[in-house]
């Protein structure tokens, strides 16, 4: 029986969109078409591929007025924030700009006797499995450089944002990218795992949960398929005694609460030097109490529902457990909190690392704040985590921040900012956050393989 994938809107719990998953046979046929189209695509001049990809990006921009309310229906982000095209365009544009340099051969020797060099070869067919929380920006991290590098792409989007892959495929096809070169596919978990196990792909790029990442690794075991995984996070912020308190509160609380806390690099733990703790807490409470929780289609709403009721239930359970263990919840229940997907943002103090809310990923609008006495204490707490995506440091001393950053188990160190993806820097993580890296020149290296040429010239 064909499985039907359904997007349940967090606005009212109704079915917003549904699509049938491809059968195994249809999925294998899609892979075969992509594989057949790949060589001809890779043989096109690099600049031609770049131009076609950027035309597809521009076409998404032209759809933005339709995309923004569609995202609100699918995953609950308020329309007032205007969608994701700014970051989407920034990331694609940067990868287009550096493509020639990043994909250029490494020339070792070109003498009378030898030509020695290393070229970058596309993997072939790349499977990109994209998440729902930033469905356009996370997808383009892989789609743009994969296509530019000469791969063909199958995009499998999260069911919660079921229509995003269709829009991306439509935009790129209208821009002139051949249909078999970039395909949107609706797949269930078993079919996806089966394709990976059958060596259907040269590379698999996944963003999502730790459990799903583990399932992908199991499916790829023994196939030697390259896998890039961006998984969970529990990102810390550390406010030092010389920090700009207002700037730290504004940025870290926004990093914890924006998109209803559903950000890959959202701030989930905050450590504040004891001399600034009360000041920071007061400013944080003022910020959160100023939010308006409501229907994301309403311009007045600054916070919408979480993407699914079960996500809100996890945050509620973590919060309730922490309070039962002695934590203090500072935010009174908002009028818009319906006990379902609409969830009051929460700030907790009197927390410690025995509590789930300080250890396990919440991926929702809750943050625990702890006072610390020293860099050493803060460092120990920041590293007391199974995850390592980003860490946000707040001080006027750049050298101190870089020194501390070197001791933090993390993929990215921020100073006096948070929750931002710089496309010039590799987006990567460590520990249970996963492996690999996207964007930057390193992102191109992960989407290609090195091929060496040792050419001895004929001499008379």
């Amino acid at each position: 029986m064909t499985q039907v994938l359904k997007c349940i809107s967090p606005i009212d719990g109704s079915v917003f969109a549904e699509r049938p998953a491809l059968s195994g046979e249809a999925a294998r046929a899609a892979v075969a078409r992509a594989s057949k189209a790949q060589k001809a695509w890779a043989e096109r001049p690099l600049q031609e591929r770049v131009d076609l990809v950027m035309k597809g990006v521009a076409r998404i921009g032209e759809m933005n007025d339709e995309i923004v309310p569609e995202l609100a229906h699918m995953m609950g982000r308020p329309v007032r924030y205007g969608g994701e095209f700014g970051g989407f365009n920034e990331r694609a544009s940067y990868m287009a700009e550096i493509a020639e340099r990043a994909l250029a051969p490494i020339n070792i020797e070109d003498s009378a006797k030898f030509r020695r060099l290393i070229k970058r070869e596309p993997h072939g067919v790349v499977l990109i499995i994209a998440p729902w929380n930033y469905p356009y920006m996370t997808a383009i991290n892989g789609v743009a450089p994969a296509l530019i590098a000469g791969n063909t792409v199958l995009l499998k989007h999260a069911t919660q944002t079921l229509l995003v892959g269709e829009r991306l495929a439509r935009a790129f096809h209208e821009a002139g990218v051949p249909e078999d070169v970039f395909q949107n596919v609706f797949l269930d978990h078993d079919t996806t795992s089966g394709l990976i196990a059958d060596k259907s792909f040269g590379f698999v790029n996944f963003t999502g949960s730790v459990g799903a990442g583990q399932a992908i690794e199991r499916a790829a075991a023994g196939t030697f398929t390259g896998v890039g995984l961006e998984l969970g996070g529990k990102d810390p912020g550390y406010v030092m005694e010389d920090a700009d308190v207002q700037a730290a509160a504004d940025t870290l609380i926004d990093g914890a609460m924006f998109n209803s806390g559903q950000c890959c690099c959202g701030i989930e733990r905050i450590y504040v030097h004891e001399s600034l703790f009360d000041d920071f807490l007061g400013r944080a409470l003022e910020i959160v109490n100023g939010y308006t929780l409501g229907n994301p289609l309403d311009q007045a709403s600054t916070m919408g529902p979480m993407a699914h009721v079960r996500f809100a239930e996890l945050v509620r359970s973590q919060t309730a457990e922490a309070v039962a263990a002695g934590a203090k919840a500072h935010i009174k229940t908002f009028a818009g909190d319906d006990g379902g997907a609409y969830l009051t943002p929460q700030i907790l103090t009197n927390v410690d690392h025995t509590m789930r809310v300080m250890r396990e990923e919440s991926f929702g609008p809750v943050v625990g704040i702890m006072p610390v006495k020293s860099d050493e204490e803060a460092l120990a707490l920041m590293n007391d985590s199974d995850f390592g995506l980003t860490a946000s440091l707040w001080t006027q001393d750049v050298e101190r921040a870089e020194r501390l950053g070197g001791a933090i188990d993390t993929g990215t160190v921020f100073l006096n900012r948070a929750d931002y993806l710089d496309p010039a820097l590799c987006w990567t993580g460590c520990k249970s956050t996963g492996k690999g890296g996207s964007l930057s020149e390193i992102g191109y290296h992960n989407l290609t393989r090195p091929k060496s040429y040792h050419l001895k010239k004929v001499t008379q």
Side-chain angles (χ1 to χ4, degrees):
M1 180 180 294
T2 301
Q3 181 177 346
V4 176
L5 306 176
K6 295 183 179 182
C7 168
I8 307 299
S9 175
I11 292 178
D12 57 9
S14 64
V15 176
F16 180 69
E18 57 185 354
R19 296 290 187 272
L22 293 179
S23 66
E25 181 181 1
R28 289 189 292 273
V31 172
R33 292 194 301 273
S35 182
K36 184 178 180 181
Q38 190 269 323
K39 290 294 184 184
W41 174 250
E43 288 170 358
R44 293 196 185 200
L46 173 61
Q47 191 58 52
E48 182 180 328
R49 297 197 302 267
V50 167
D51 290 344
L52 287 170
V53 166
M54 291 312 298
K55 285 180 182 177
V57 169
R59 185 71 188 97
I60 287 291
E62 293 167 0
M63 299 177 181
N64 203 52
D65 287 346
E66 302 168 22
I67 285 172
V68 170
E70 195 170 80
L71 284 175
H73 279 288
M74 289 190 292
M75 49 77 66
R77 186 184 306 131
V79 294
R80 67 181 290 131
Y81 298 117
E84 302 177 17
F85 185 69
F88 179 89
N89 183 57
E90 177 189 26
R91 298 174 189 188
S93 297
Y94 183 80
M95 296 307 285
E97 177 186 329
I98 68 167
E100 184 174 5
R101 179 175 77 245
L103 295 170
I106 300 172
N107 291 300
I108 309 300
E109 179 184 359
D110 192 4
S111 67
K113 293 184 176 180
F114 289 100
R115 172 134 168 77
R116 295 184 295 143
L117 69 158
I118 304 167
K119 293 185 178 182
R120 307 300 313 184
E121 292 282 320
H123 286 301
V125 182
V126 172
L127 173 65
I128 295 175
I129 306 174
W132 52 263
N133 62 320
Y134 283 93
Y136 285 92
M137 288 197 291
T138 51
I140 204 64
N141 292 351
V143 169
L147 291 174
I148 289 171
N151 299 286
T152 51
V153 170
L154 264 62
L155 174 63
K156 174 195 179 304
H157 232 293
T159 301
Q160 193 64 49
T161 43
L162 200 59
L163 303 183
V164 172
E166 281 189 340
R167 280 205 176 270
L168 284 167
R170 173 183 151 198
F172 278 70
H173 297 160
E174 289 176 355
V177 175
E179 291 188 5
D180 290 343
V181 168
F182 179 32
Q183 299 178 61
N184 173 62
V185 288
F186 298 111
L187 302 175
D188 60 30
H189 298 315
D190 289 344
T191 302
T192 303
S193 294
L195 291 173
I196 295 170
D198 288 343
K199 300 184 181 182
S200 300
F201 309 108
F203 191 81
V204 177
N205 184 299
F206 172 76
T207 304
S209 71
V210 173
Q214 291 170 334
I216 288 169
E217 281 212 319
R218 285 193 293 270
T223 68
F224 309 114
T225 300
V227 175
L229 304 171
E230 186 206 323
L231 310 177
K234 195 73 182 172
D235 292 7
Y238 172 34
V239 182
M240 297 171 229
E241 71 281 354
D242 65 339
D244 181 329
V245 184
Q246 188 63 57
D250 286 340
T251 302
L252 291 175
I253 296 304
D254 181 68
M257 303 298 174
F258 186 76
N259 207 36
S260 296
Q262 300 165 133
C263 302
C264 298
C265 57
I267 296 296
E268 297 209 0
R269 307 174 280 148
I270 301 176
Y271 308 103
V272 182
H273 191 272
E274 59 185 4
S275 65
L276 299 181
F277 185 81
D278 290 341
D279 189 9
F280 181 91
L281 177 61
R283 296 170 192 261
L285 295 177
E286 183 178 1
I287 293 167
V288 174
N289 281 315
Y291 293 155
T292 300
L293 175 64
N295 189 316
L297 297 172
D298 186 343
Q299 284 285 346
S301 297
T302 58
M303 179 174 284
M306 294 192 68
H308 199 283
V309 172
R310 70 177 184 275
F311 305 150
E313 289 174 348
L314 171 65
V315 178
R316 285 191 176 94
S317 68
Q318 287 184 345
T319 302
E321 287 178 19
V323 170
K328 181 177 180 180
H330 289 266
I331 307 298
K332 294 181 180 179
T333 303
F334 279 21
D337 190 327
D338 66 350
Y342 291 84
L343 174 66
T344 300
Q346 191 55 262
I347 291 177
L348 301 173
T349 58
N350 296 342
V351 291
D352 60 50
H353 282 213
T354 67
M355 300 172 181
R356 272 203 308 153
V357 77
M358 296 298 285
R359 295 194 326 273
E360 298 180 8
E361 186 173 37
S362 301
F363 216 63
V366 61
V367 65
I369 307 177
M370 294 176 61
V372 294
K373 297 180 183 296
S374 65
D375 288 353
E376 291 72 24
E377 182 183 6
L379 179 61
L381 289 167
M382 285 189 282
N383 281 339
D384 183 26
S385 175
D386 291 335
F387 303 103
L389 184 56
T390 78
S392 176
L393 306 179
W394 290 80
T395 176
Q396 298 180 42
D397 187 338
V398 177
E399 291 183 2
R400 178 184 179 187
E402 190 167 351
R403 184 174 63 253
L404 267 174
I408 301 172
D409 300 326
T410 191
T412 295
V413 178
F414 289 116
L415 173 61
N416 300 326
R417 74 178 311 170
D419 193 20
Y420 171 70
L421 195 160
D422 181 344
L425 300 177
C426 184
W427 191 244
T428 186
C430 59
K431 301 194 282 191
S432 290
T433 291
K435 64 180 182 180
S438 62
L439 298 176
S440 77
E441 291 193 28
I442 293 173
Y444 273 117
H445 292 176
N446 286 330
L447 287 164
T448 55
R449 63 177 180 86
K451 185 174 184 177
S452 296
Y453 291 77
H454 195 137
L455 311 177
K456 184 178 180 181
K457 299 181 180 179
V458 175
T459 56
Q460 300 298 327

